[in-house]
mmCIF file of all heavy atoms in Angstrom:
data_model
loop_
_atom_site.group_PDB
_atom_site.id
_atom_site.type_symbol
_atom_site.label_atom_id
_atom_site.label_comp_id
_atom_site.label_asym_id
_atom_site.label_seq_id
_atom_site.Cartn_x
_atom_site.Cartn_y
_atom_site.Cartn_z
ATOM 1 N N GLN A 55 10.703 18.478 -12.303
ATOM 2 C CA GLN A 55 9.693 19.331 -12.839
ATOM 3 C C GLN A 55 8.912 19.996 -11.662
ATOM 4 O O GLN A 55 8.208 19.277 -10.903
ATOM 5 C CB GLN A 55 8.692 18.562 -13.730
ATOM 6 C CG GLN A 55 9.306 17.881 -14.887
ATOM 7 C CD GLN A 55 8.348 17.088 -15.687
ATOM 8 O OE1 GLN A 55 7.322 17.619 -16.146
ATOM 9 N NE2 GLN A 55 8.587 15.805 -15.837
ATOM 10 N N ILE A 56 9.101 21.284 -11.503
ATOM 11 C CA ILE A 56 8.493 21.982 -10.404
ATOM 12 C C ILE A 56 7.649 23.156 -10.952
ATOM 13 O O ILE A 56 8.211 23.932 -11.782
ATOM 14 C CB ILE A 56 9.553 22.571 -9.456
ATOM 15 C CG1 ILE A 56 10.483 21.437 -8.974
ATOM 16 C CG2 ILE A 56 8.858 23.238 -8.231
ATOM 17 C CD1 ILE A 56 9.910 20.419 -8.156
ATOM 18 N N SER A 57 6.439 23.319 -10.503
ATOM 19 C CA SER A 57 5.619 24.450 -10.859
ATOM 20 C C SER A 57 5.278 25.224 -9.583
ATOM 21 O O SER A 57 4.891 24.575 -8.560
ATOM 22 C CB SER A 57 4.330 24.004 -11.547
ATOM 23 O OG SER A 57 4.602 23.406 -12.748
ATOM 24 N N SER A 58 5.456 26.514 -9.610
ATOM 25 C CA SER A 58 5.157 27.373 -8.456
ATOM 26 C C SER A 58 3.811 28.064 -8.682
ATOM 27 O O SER A 58 3.621 28.619 -9.719
ATOM 28 C CB SER A 58 6.278 28.358 -8.278
ATOM 29 O OG SER A 58 5.930 29.299 -7.284
ATOM 30 N N GLU A 59 2.983 28.065 -7.647
ATOM 31 C CA GLU A 59 1.723 28.663 -7.716
ATOM 32 C C GLU A 59 1.687 30.105 -7.268
ATOM 33 O O GLU A 59 0.895 30.920 -7.760
ATOM 34 C CB GLU A 59 0.663 27.834 -6.913
ATOM 35 C CG GLU A 59 0.217 26.567 -7.537
ATOM 36 C CD GLU A 59 -0.627 26.809 -8.812
ATOM 37 O OE1 GLU A 59 -1.681 27.354 -8.672
ATOM 38 O OE2 GLU A 59 -0.156 26.423 -9.873
ATOM 39 N N VAL A 60 2.535 30.439 -6.324
ATOM 40 C CA VAL A 60 2.555 31.755 -5.807
ATOM 41 C C VAL A 60 4.019 32.205 -5.579
ATOM 42 O O VAL A 60 4.846 31.390 -5.165
ATOM 43 C CB VAL A 60 1.801 31.921 -4.477
ATOM 44 C CG1 VAL A 60 0.323 31.726 -4.672
ATOM 45 C CG2 VAL A 60 2.289 30.907 -3.436
ATOM 46 N N PRO A 61 4.335 33.478 -5.907
ATOM 47 C CA PRO A 61 5.685 33.950 -5.656
ATOM 48 C C PRO A 61 5.944 34.022 -4.137
ATOM 49 O O PRO A 61 5.049 34.432 -3.421
ATOM 50 C CB PRO A 61 5.685 35.343 -6.317
ATOM 51 C CG PRO A 61 4.266 35.762 -6.308
ATOM 52 C CD PRO A 61 3.483 34.510 -6.475
ATOM 53 N N GLN A 62 7.098 33.609 -3.725
ATOM 54 C CA GLN A 62 7.332 33.632 -2.278
ATOM 55 C C GLN A 62 8.793 33.375 -1.952
ATOM 56 O O GLN A 62 9.617 33.300 -2.879
ATOM 57 C CB GLN A 62 6.524 32.481 -1.633
ATOM 58 C CG GLN A 62 6.822 31.173 -2.195
ATOM 59 C CD GLN A 62 5.654 30.249 -2.330
ATOM 60 O OE1 GLN A 62 4.764 30.227 -1.485
ATOM 61 N NE2 GLN A 62 5.555 29.531 -3.412
ATOM 62 N N ASN A 63 9.060 33.226 -0.691
ATOM 63 C CA ASN A 63 10.360 33.028 -0.176
ATOM 64 C C ASN A 63 10.789 31.597 -0.181
ATOM 65 O O ASN A 63 11.828 31.288 0.400
ATOM 66 C CB ASN A 63 10.357 33.591 1.233
ATOM 67 C CG ASN A 63 11.701 33.582 1.880
ATOM 68 O OD1 ASN A 63 12.669 33.931 1.248
ATOM 69 N ND2 ASN A 63 11.802 33.221 3.146
ATOM 70 N N LEU A 64 10.050 30.734 -0.804
ATOM 71 C CA LEU A 64 10.293 29.313 -0.729
ATOM 72 C C LEU A 64 10.614 28.711 -2.082
ATOM 73 O O LEU A 64 10.258 29.371 -3.132
ATOM 74 C CB LEU A 64 9.062 28.568 -0.149
ATOM 75 C CG LEU A 64 8.551 29.064 1.180
ATOM 76 C CD1 LEU A 64 7.179 28.497 1.442
ATOM 77 C CD2 LEU A 64 9.543 28.612 2.279
ATOM 78 N N SER A 65 11.250 27.592 -2.089
ATOM 79 C CA SER A 65 11.522 26.837 -3.337
ATOM 80 C C SER A 65 11.270 25.383 -3.120
ATOM 81 O O SER A 65 11.233 24.935 -1.952
ATOM 82 C CB SER A 65 12.975 27.110 -3.852
ATOM 83 O OG SER A 65 13.892 26.578 -2.845
ATOM 84 N N ALA A 66 11.130 24.654 -4.164
ATOM 85 C CA ALA A 66 10.918 23.182 -4.046
ATOM 86 C C ALA A 66 11.815 22.433 -5.079
ATOM 87 O O ALA A 66 12.150 23.017 -6.034
ATOM 88 C CB ALA A 66 9.461 22.859 -4.283
ATOM 89 N N SER A 67 12.103 21.213 -4.712
ATOM 90 C CA SER A 67 12.910 20.406 -5.599
ATOM 91 C C SER A 67 12.389 18.939 -5.541
ATOM 92 O O SER A 67 11.860 18.525 -4.477
ATOM 93 C CB SER A 67 14.397 20.442 -5.242
ATOM 94 O OG SER A 67 14.631 19.949 -3.971
ATOM 95 N N ARG A 68 12.582 18.229 -6.616
ATOM 96 C CA ARG A 68 12.221 16.812 -6.663
ATOM 97 C C ARG A 68 13.476 16.034 -7.223
ATOM 98 O O ARG A 68 13.475 15.781 -8.444
ATOM 99 C CB ARG A 68 11.009 16.617 -7.509
ATOM 100 C CG ARG A 68 10.490 15.211 -7.561
ATOM 101 C CD ARG A 68 9.143 15.087 -8.211
ATOM 102 N NE ARG A 68 8.666 13.718 -8.302
ATOM 103 C CZ ARG A 68 7.443 13.401 -8.712
ATOM 104 N NH1 ARG A 68 6.567 14.347 -9.130
ATOM 105 N NH2 ARG A 68 7.086 12.117 -8.764
ATOM 106 N N PRO A 69 14.392 15.694 -6.374
ATOM 107 C CA PRO A 69 15.586 15.027 -6.828
ATOM 108 C C PRO A 69 15.379 13.585 -7.198
ATOM 109 O O PRO A 69 16.152 13.020 -7.999
ATOM 110 C CB PRO A 69 16.546 15.145 -5.630
ATOM 111 C CG PRO A 69 15.634 15.316 -4.452
ATOM 112 C CD PRO A 69 14.405 16.043 -4.916
ATOM 113 N N GLN A 70 14.349 12.975 -6.657
ATOM 114 C CA GLN A 70 14.019 11.566 -6.958
ATOM 115 C C GLN A 70 12.540 11.481 -7.166
ATOM 116 O O GLN A 70 11.755 12.329 -6.804
ATOM 117 C CB GLN A 70 14.466 10.647 -5.806
ATOM 118 C CG GLN A 70 15.920 10.636 -5.527
ATOM 119 C CD GLN A 70 16.303 9.731 -4.334
ATOM 120 O OE1 GLN A 70 15.795 8.581 -4.317
ATOM 121 N NE2 GLN A 70 17.155 10.149 -3.501
ATOM 122 N N ASP A 71 12.144 10.322 -7.805
ATOM 123 C CA ASP A 71 10.717 10.207 -8.182
ATOM 124 C C ASP A 71 9.763 10.382 -7.048
ATOM 125 O O ASP A 71 8.696 10.927 -7.185
ATOM 126 C CB ASP A 71 10.534 8.789 -8.848
ATOM 127 C CG ASP A 71 9.116 8.580 -9.269
ATOM 128 O OD1 ASP A 71 8.544 9.523 -9.882
ATOM 129 O OD2 ASP A 71 8.563 7.488 -9.023
#
Side-chain angles (χ1 to χ4, degrees):
Chain A
Q55 300 178 58
I56 308 294
S57 296
S58 173
E59 286 290 298
V60 292
Q62 58 217 320
N63 185 41
L64 302 167
S65 62
S67 61
R68 185 171 178 173
Q70 300 180 43
D71 182 43

